[in-house]
Amino acid sequence: MEIALVGIGKIALDQHVPAIAASPDWDLAATVSRKGSVDGVESFTDFAELLERRSDIRVVSLCLPPVPRFDYAAAAIAAGRHVMLEKPPGASLSECHRLIDMAQAQRVSLYATWHSREAPMVAAAKAWLADKTLRRLQITWKEDVRRWHPGQDWIWEPGGLGVFDPGINALSILTEILPDAIHLTDATLEVPENKQGPIAASLRFAHPAGAEVGAVFDWRQDGDQIWTIEAETDRGRLELHDGGARMVIDGIEQSADGPALAGEYPRLYARMAQLVASGGSDVDLSPMRHVADAFLLGRRETVAPFHE
Amino acid sequence: MEIALVGIGKIALDQHVPAIAASPDWDLAATVSRKGSVDGVESFTDFAELLERRSDIRVVSLCLPPVPRFDYAAAAIAAGRHVMLEKPPGASLSECHRLIDMAQAQRVSLYATWHSREAPMVAAAKAWLADKTLRRLQITWKEDVRRWHPGQDWIWEPGGLGVFDPGINALSILTEILPDAIHLTDATLEVPENKQGPIAASLRFAHPAGAEVGAVFDWRQDGDQIWTIEAETDRGRLELHDGGARMVIDGIEQSADGPALAGEYPRLYARMAQLVASGGSDVDLSPMRHVADAFLLGRRETVAPFHE
C-alpha cells in the first residue's frame, strides 16, 4: 500500500522513513513538509494539494507536533484517508474524541500510536504481571532534554507537554502492562520560571487493590539516561529497563520469546497495515488522560530558568 | 425512596436539603458529615458505618469537594448503592472513568449532575439552536469569588479548579445546547502569585463549521454578576442570561414553555429518581474534558496575589 508521510523532521527521518522502507506492507509515495523531503519521493509543501492530486494514496502518517496536527488529521479523514498519528494523539482530549467520531463517520482507520508500547519486552512484562498481585510500582524516567530534543522549542510551549512528552511514553507502557486501571491522586510539576512546560514531575496513583504506584520524570539528567519501570508483586519483582528494551525478573535478565520485528516503528507500521486491512481503529487515550489529569490536579512549583 | 446525603456544607444546605424536602420521590434518611447535620435526620460521621448500618438506604448523594469524593463514591458503588455526584464529577478524568466501570460492574445507577443544565431556559436554548447555523458564540462568566465561595480554601488548591469551578457550569450549558462538538484550541489562565488555581481564564474553541466560540471567566467581578452566553446564528441572535434563567431571542424576552420544576436541584433529584427506576446511568464528562484541556493546553500568566 502507498502511504504519505507528513512532517519531515527529526522523528520522521530517524524512525518513520526507515520503518516504511523496511516494511513489506508499505511504499512511501509522497511527503508533505515545509522544509524536509526524502530523496526519490514526490514531495509536497501543501497538504490540501497532496489530498487532491494523489487520491490514489489512501493512508497518511502524521509526524507533526500535537498542536498543528489536528487540522491535518481532520482534513485527511474528511478526504476519506486512513490516518496514523504520532504520540500524543492530540493537543487536547476533546480534539481526539472529535477525530474518533469523524473516523467512525467516514469509515476510515484511525491509529493513535504509542511507540513505547512496541518496545521488545513490553508484551512479556504484561504477560508476567497478568496473574500476579501488584504491591508497588515505580517509574523512573530521567533524560537530558538537550540531547533528545535539541532546538524543539514547541515542546516547552502550551500543548507541548514539557517533560510529559517522554513521560507519556512511560505512561503508555504502564497502561499497557497493568491489568487494572489506575488514577492519579497527587502530582507535583516543576516548571522553569522562563517556560510553560514542566521540566520535572512526580506522580502518585491510586490502584484498585491498594498498590503504591508512582512516577518520577526529569529532563535534567546528566550522565546515564534512565527509563525504568520496577514492579514488586506477591510473586517476584519485575524490572523493565531502557524504555522496555530489557526485562529483569527477580534479578535474572530475560530474553524475548519468538521472532520480534526489529524495532518499535516497524511494529507500528505493521499494526497500521492490519488495521487498514481489517477496517479497524485503535485509539487508546488513557496515557493522555493521565497527563491531562496531572496538569489538572498537579501542584506547580516554579524552579530555576532553563536555557538550552 | 430513601436517600443519604454526604457532605453537609454550604451547597448541601442551600440546595440539596430543600430539593429533597420538596421532592415527591425522596426522603432524606441520613446524613454523613464531620460537622454538619440536618434537624430530625439521623446523622453519621463515618461513611463506612452508614453503608453498613443502613443497608436499607439504596441511594447516596455526594456533596463533597471533588478531591475527597472519589473514595466515597467508590465505597458506595462497591456496597451496591446508586450514586449521585455534585459537579465536577471528580478531581481527575481517570477516576471518573473508573467510577463508570465500577457502576457498570455493580449494576448501579451513577449520575454525574450538572446543575446549570437544569436552569429554566437551557432546554429552550438547545431547541432553538438545533436547526440553525452558528456563526459566533461567546460565554461571559464573571462573579465575585468572595461572595460565592467564602472561606472555601479547597477551591484554590490543585483539583479545586479555581475559576473553572463556576466556569465548568458555563461549559456544561455550552456542551448541552450546541448541536456540534467543539474542542479547545487556545486558553490563557491567570493565576494569582499566591494560589494554585486560576482567578480568570479566556478560552477559544474550534467549531466544525468554523464558528467563533470563546469564553471569558473572571472571579474578580465587582458590582453586577454576569453569567451570559450569547450566540449569533444565520437566523437570529440568542442570549442566555443569569446562568440560563433568562433567554432573549432577537431582543425579545422569552418565557419557559409548560410547567417547569422549581429550580435546578429539584430537577436533578427528579432525574436521579428516573435513573434509579430505569436502571440507567448518566455520566457526561465533556464539560470536565474541556477544563482538563484548558489546564493542559492553556498558557499561564502570573497575576497579583489574591487575599480573601
Side-chain angles (χ1 to χ4, degrees):
Chain A
M1 278 177 285
E2 296 199 310
I3 192 168
L5 196 54
V6 182
I8 307 301
K10 179 168 164 52
I11 189 75
L13 296 172
D14 287 355
Q15 301 290 351
H16 291 258
V17 171
I20 294 169
S23 166
D25 299 310
W26 300 105
D27 281 322
L28 182 57
T31 62
V32 182
S33 187
R34 272 175 303 177
K35 295 177 196 163
S37 64
V38 175
D39 278 354
V41 176
E42 184 180 13
S43 68
F44 291 80
T45 53
D46 182 47
F47 188 52
E49 199 182 327
L50 168 90
L51 292 175
E52 197 185 310
R53 292 204 5 220
R54 293 298 306 266
S55 59
D56 56 312
I57 305 177
R58 306 307 303 163
V59 184
V60 172
S61 179
L62 301 178
C63 315
L64 304 155
V67 168
R69 202 190 302 134
F70 174 82
D71 289 339
Y72 287 80
I77 294 169
R81 305 310 208 277
H82 307 288
V83 173
M84 187 168 162
L85 303 169
E86 248 298 350
K87 50 77 31 175
S92 72
L93 287 163
S94 303
E95 74 180 54
C96 296
H97 283 268
R98 278 199 55 203
L99 293 180
I100 292 169
D101 291 344
M102 291 177 67
Q104 253 169 357
Q106 290 282 346
R107 300 184 185 191
V108 297
S109 294
L110 180 65
Y111 181 19
T113 67
W114 298 107
H115 64 81
S116 292
R117 286 185 174 174
E118 306 302 330
M121 300 308 287
V122 168
K126 178 177 181 159
W128 190 84
L129 286 168
D131 62 355
K132 300 189 175 61
T133 301
L134 187 69
R135 299 233 164 102
R136 191 179 156 279
L137 184 143
Q138 181 67 29
I139 294 172
T140 309
W141 226 250
K142 297 185 175 182
E143 61 175 50
D144 181 356
V145 62
R146 291 184 176 89
R147 187 153 139 200
W148 302 101
H149 297 283
Q152 291 183 339
D153 292 337
W154 63 265
I155 219 158
W156 292 104
E157 287 296 295
L161 301 188
V163 76
F164 285 88
D165 180 81
I168 203 170
N169 296 338
L171 297 173
S172 75
I173 296 176
L174 180 68
T175 47
E176 175 69 15
I177 65 176
L178 278 192
D180 297 298
I182 55 172
H183 69 270
L184 189 86
T185 54
D186 292 285
T188 302
L189 277 54
E190 296 179 46
V191 184
E193 119 194 350
N194 62 337
K195 298 288 183 194
Q196 286 284 327
I199 197 165
S202 66
L203 315 179
R204 209 164 62 190
F205 296 90
H207 179 270
E212 286 174 46
V213 178
V216 174
F217 305 148
D218 204 319
W219 248 351
R220 298 164 300 195
Q221 180 75 0
D222 286 330
D224 283 350
Q225 307 290 290
I226 304 172
W227 299 284
T228 297
I229 299 175
E230 297 161 287
E232 288 165 23
T233 75
D234 60 332
R235 285 180 287 139
R237 176 186 168 84
L238 173 147
E239 298 164 31
L240 274 176
H241 294 287
D242 303 339
R246 293 176 43 227
M247 179 167 76
V248 174
I249 304 279
D250 294 330
I252 298 164
E253 184 91 30
Q254 310 290 306
S255 54
D257 287 340
L261 270 171
E264 298 176 1
Y265 283 81
R267 292 196 209 222
L268 295 180
Y269 278 94
R271 171 92 179 119
M272 183 64 184
Q274 285 171 359
L275 288 171
V276 171
S278 66
S281 280
D282 181 351
V283 186
D284 176 13
L285 299 181
S286 63
M288 189 163 161
R289 210 151 48 215
H290 289 307
V291 174
D293 285 343
F295 277 74
L296 189 66
L297 193 52
R299 181 174 297 278
R300 269 151 207 273
E301 291 174 1
T302 302
V303 298
F306 175 82
H307 300 285
E308 193 176 328
Chain B
M1 278 178 284
E2 295 198 312
I3 191 166
L5 195 55
V6 183
I8 307 299
K10 179 169 164 53
I11 189 75
L13 296 173
D14 287 355
Q15 301 289 350
H16 291 257
V17 172
I20 294 168
S23 167
D25 301 309
W26 300 105
D27 280 324
L28 182 57
T31 62
V32 183
S33 186
R34 273 176 301 179
K35 296 176 195 162
S37 64
V38 174
D39 278 354
V41 177
E42 185 181 12
S43 67
F44 292 80
T45 54
D46 182 47
F47 188 51
E49 200 183 327
L50 167 90
L51 292 175
E52 197 185 311
R53 295 208 0 225
R54 293 298 308 267
S55 59
D56 56 312
I57 305 177
R58 306 308 303 162
V59 185
V60 172
S61 179
L62 301 177
C63 316
L64 303 154
V67 168
R69 201 190 302 134
F70 174 83
D71 289 340
Y72 288 79
I77 294 170
R81 305 307 207 280
H82 307 287
V83 173
M84 187 167 161
L85 303 168
E86 249 298 348
K87 49 77 33 172
S92 71
L93 286 162
S94 303
E95 73 180 56
C96 296
H97 283 268
R98 278 199 56 204
L99 293 179
I100 293 170
D101 291 346
M102 291 177 69
Q104 252 168 359
Q106 290 282 347
R107 300 187 186 189
V108 297
S109 294
L110 180 65
Y111 181 19
T113 67
W114 298 106
H115 65 79
S116 292
R117 286 185 175 174
E118 307 302 330
M121 301 308 288
V122 168
K126 178 178 181 157
W128 190 84
L129 285 168
D131 62 355
K132 301 193 174 59
T133 302
L134 188 68
R135 301 232 162 103
R136 191 179 157 278
L137 184 145
Q138 182 67 28
I139 293 171
T140 308
W141 226 250
K142 297 186 176 182
E143 61 176 49
D144 180 356
V145 63
R146 292 184 176 89
R147 190 154 138 199
W148 302 102
H149 298 283
Q152 292 183 338
D153 291 338
W154 63 265
I155 218 157
W156 292 104
E157 287 296 295
L161 301 188
V163 75
F164 285 88
D165 179 82
I168 204 170
N169 296 338
L171 297 174
S172 74
I173 297 176
L174 181 68
T175 47
E176 175 68 16
I177 65 177
L178 278 191
D180 298 297
I182 55 172
H183 68 271
L184 189 86
T185 54
D186 291 285
T188 303
L189 276 54
E190 296 179 47
V191 185
E193 113 192 358
N194 62 336
K195 297 289 182 192
Q196 286 283 327
I199 196 165
S202 67
L203 315 178
R204 210 164 59 187
F205 295 90
H207 179 272
E212 287 174 45
V213 178
V216 175
F217 305 149
D218 204 320
W219 248 352
R220 299 165 298 197
Q221 181 75 358
D222 286 330
D224 283 351
Q225 308 289 290
I226 304 171
W227 299 286
T228 297
I229 299 176
E230 297 161 287
E232 288 165 24
T233 74
D234 60 332
R235 285 178 289 138
R237 175 185 169 84
L238 174 147
E239 297 164 30
L240 275 176
H241 295 287
D242 303 339
R246 291 176 44 228
M247 179 166 78
V248 174
I249 305 279
D250 295 329
I252 297 163
E253 185 90 30
Q254 310 289 306
S255 54
D257 287 342
L261 272 170
E264 299 176 1
Y265 283 82
R267 292 195 210 221
L268 296 180
Y269 278 94
R271 171 94 178 119
M272 184 65 183
Q274 285 172 358
L275 288 171
V276 172
S278 67
S281 280
D282 180 351
V283 186
D284 176 13
L285 299 180
S286 62
M288 191 165 159
R289 208 148 53 213
H290 289 307
V291 173
D293 286 342
F295 277 73
L296 189 66
L297 192 53
R299 180 173 297 277
R300 269 151 206 274
E301 292 173 3
T302 302
V303 298
F306 175 83
H307 301 285
E308 190 176 331

